[in-house]
Amino acid sequence: STPFTPIQGVISVQNFKLRSGPGFLFDTVGLYDENTSVSIYGRSLGGGWYFVTTPDSRAGWMKSEYFTLNEDVTQIPFYAFTNGNLIYGHVRNSAGVPMTRISIVIWPSTSEDSADQDSTMTDDTGTYYLYLPKTLSGYFTIGENGYNCQSNAVDSSCNFLYGNPSAQSIEIPHSSDISIEFVLPQLSSGG
């Protein structure tokens, strides 16, 4: 196989955080200005985060949606991240159809502070991936909390066609990855 040559990505927002892991709950390693170019070496499962090196020789993770790339993102290899807890699963409707662009959020069960939460979107297969630092412990709540208008769970006017599944409670740290499945319930018809 041909060795991967890192591709260049340009940050598209101001004060963009480089983190120690692929998630919002990991420590901030540095802040970077809009239009800073970084080298991208890999992406997390689901593609939500890029593993990068910065011009000041730091390495870490940055949220993938805030980059401008001149190359095909599918050429970026998946990069294994083992220093965290992985929570993953699928969102489907009651017929088993994968639901795309559904937002999944996780937060400590004892906190309502949005700074203590992380979220992700399901991909084209209805799969989501969330990474949490191994230093976190306690009970966390995970559930569906929104959708994108490009989701297959909405109509042409961006109205959500389903009900919300119940949130789940988990305890971390956990000795292995955690899989949680969600089924979007059909809305009852009639008045």
Side-chain angles (χ1 to χ4, degrees), residues 25 105-118 140:
L25 298 177
V105 66
I106 190 166
W107 68 95
S109 298
T110 58
S111 175
E112 301 263 336
D113 186 351
S114 63
D116 293 337
Q117 70 183 23
D118 197 356
F140 284 72

Side-chain angles (χ1 to χ4, degrees), residues 19-27 49 106-108 114-118 131-133 135-136 140:
R19 296 187 180 270
S20 61
F24 291 118
L25 298 177
F26 288 90
D27 291 335
W49 293 83
I106 190 166
W107 68 95
S114 63
D116 293 337
Q117 70 183 23
D118 197 356
Y131 295 87
L132 300 179
T135 55
L136 292 180
F140 284 72

Side-chain angles (χ1 to χ4, degrees), residues 91-92 98-105 120-123 126-128 143-148 151-154 160 162 164-165 182 184:
V91 178
R92 295 183 174 97
M99 297 285 97
T100 64
R101 311 299 176 264
I102 301 295
S103 177
I104 301 293
V105 66
T120 190
M121 296 287 265
T122 58
D123 62 17
T127 307
Y128 69 89
E144 177 270 331
N145 77 325
Y147 57 90
N148 180 301
S151 173
N152 62 344
V154 301
F160 197 52
Y162 297 90
N164 299 96
F182 292 100
L184 299 181

